[in-house]
Amino acid sequence: MQLSKVGSKICRPIARKIDGSGASGGGGGGTVSYQITETGDDGRFYTNSGSYSSSPTTYSWRHAGDSSYILIGAEFDWDDYSYSWRQGWFRFQNVAVPQGATIDSAYLKPYWLSTSEKTFKVAGFAKDNAAQPTTGAEGNHSNHTSATVSWAVTTGAAVKTSPDIKAIVQEITDRAGWASGNAMMFGIWKPTGTYYSSDTRGIYAYGNSGGNAVVALEITYS
C-alpha cells in the first residue's frame, strides 16, 4: 500500500472494489471503503451553550483526535446547571469517487460504546475538499450539507451501520469543486438531551488497545 504524507500525518486510505480488483476513481463505478486511521481525521466540536431540549447550531471549541473515543451528545454539569454539547467529526481522505457520479448507497460504520438506544443526526460538511478543522466555528451547522439523516443507534457495544447516507454523499460529490481523491467529512450530533442529566454516547474513532473497529465509510456509485 502506498502511503502519502500530509503535513506530519501518514495517511493510509483503504479503498477497494467489491470484486477485489482495486479502487476505482474513474467512470466505471464500484464500491470504495475508507477508514479513520490518523488522529487528524477525527475529533469533536463543543460548546457550553444550549439547554437539554435542543442542541446548539454553533460551536465554540474544537478538539482534534482522541486515541480512545469521541463522546457525542450533551453532558450536564451540576455545579452550574449547564450543558456541554459535543458534535463528533469524522474526515475521510482520498475518496475515489468522481464528481457527478450517481451514489447508489453510502454508510458509516463506527464502533459505538454500550448504552441505551439513542437517536443522533448525521450530516456532511459542504466542502469541496474538507480540511482538518482548526476552530470550533467550523462545526457550525451552517457548514453542513442540506441533506441530513436521523440514526436511532441501538443498545450494545458493537460496530453499527448507519442508515443510508447516499443523499449526503451525493450533495458533496455533486459540488462543482469536488474531484476524485478529495476529502469528505461528516458530523454526528444528538439533537436533544435529557432533563438535568448527561446524555452521551461514545464512538471509537480509530480503534484502541482492545482492538475495537475503526470508523469506516463505504460508498457504492455508478
Side-chain angles (χ1 to χ4, degrees):
M1 182 186 300
Q2 184 176 359
L3 305 183
S4 59
K5 190 166 185 179
V6 181
S8 61
K9 303 292 185 185
I10 300 296
C11 306
R12 301 176 178 85
I14 298 174
R16 59 181 175 80
K17 290 181 70 175
I18 284 290
D19 64 9
S21 62
S24 173
T31 296
V32 289
S33 59
Y34 301 89
Q35 295 180 338
I36 296 293
T37 57
E38 297 293 332
T39 57
D41 297 341
D42 65 88
R44 62 182 178 267
F45 303 106
Y46 61 101
T47 183
N48 288 326
S49 64
S51 67
Y52 76 94
S53 59
S54 62
S55 63
T57 59
T58 59
Y59 298 84
S60 303
W61 294 280
R62 157 257 186 210
H63 178 83
D66 191 320
S67 60
S68 54
Y69 61 90
I70 304 299
L71 195 62
I72 300 172
E75 284 193 303
F76 181 68
D77 187 343
W78 280 100
D79 291 334
D80 58 8
Y81 286 76
S82 67
Y83 287 87
S84 173
W85 287 89
R86 304 185 181 198
Q87 172 193 186
W89 90 70
F90 304 94
R91 176 173 168 261
F92 299 88
Q93 301 181 56
N94 303 316
V95 178
V97 176
Q99 193 276 337
T102 297
I103 307 302
D104 300 309
S105 64
Y107 301 96
L108 287 170
K109 299 181 178 182
Y111 187 104
W112 287 91
L113 278 68
S114 180
T115 188
S116 59
E117 180 172 319
K118 298 181 188 296
T119 298
F120 295 84
K121 293 198 75 172
V122 182
F125 283 80
K127 306 289 184 182
D128 295 338
N129 186 18
Q132 183 185 1
T134 58
T135 67
E138 291 176 74
N140 292 351
H141 291 195
S142 59
N143 295 318
H144 286 174
T145 54
S146 60
T148 63
V149 169
S150 182
W151 184 2
V153 182
T154 55
T155 189
V159 174
K160 298 179 185 291
T161 300
S162 73
D164 197 340
I165 60 169
K166 66 179 181 181
I168 296 172
V169 174
Q170 188 75 71
E171 186 174 334
I172 295 171
T173 57
D174 278 350
R175 294 176 62 86
W178 171 265
S180 179
N182 284 3
M184 63 175 61
M185 189 167 75
F186 302 88
I188 302 177
W189 74 98
K190 200 170 187 306
T192 59
T194 302
Y195 186 64
Y196 285 168
S197 177
S198 292
D199 195 6
T200 60
R201 192 159 183 176
I203 287 178
Y204 280 116
Y206 55 94
N208 68 353
S209 58
N212 291 315
V214 298
V215 178
L217 168 67
E218 182 179 284
I219 302 171
T220 299
Y221 68 94
S222 55

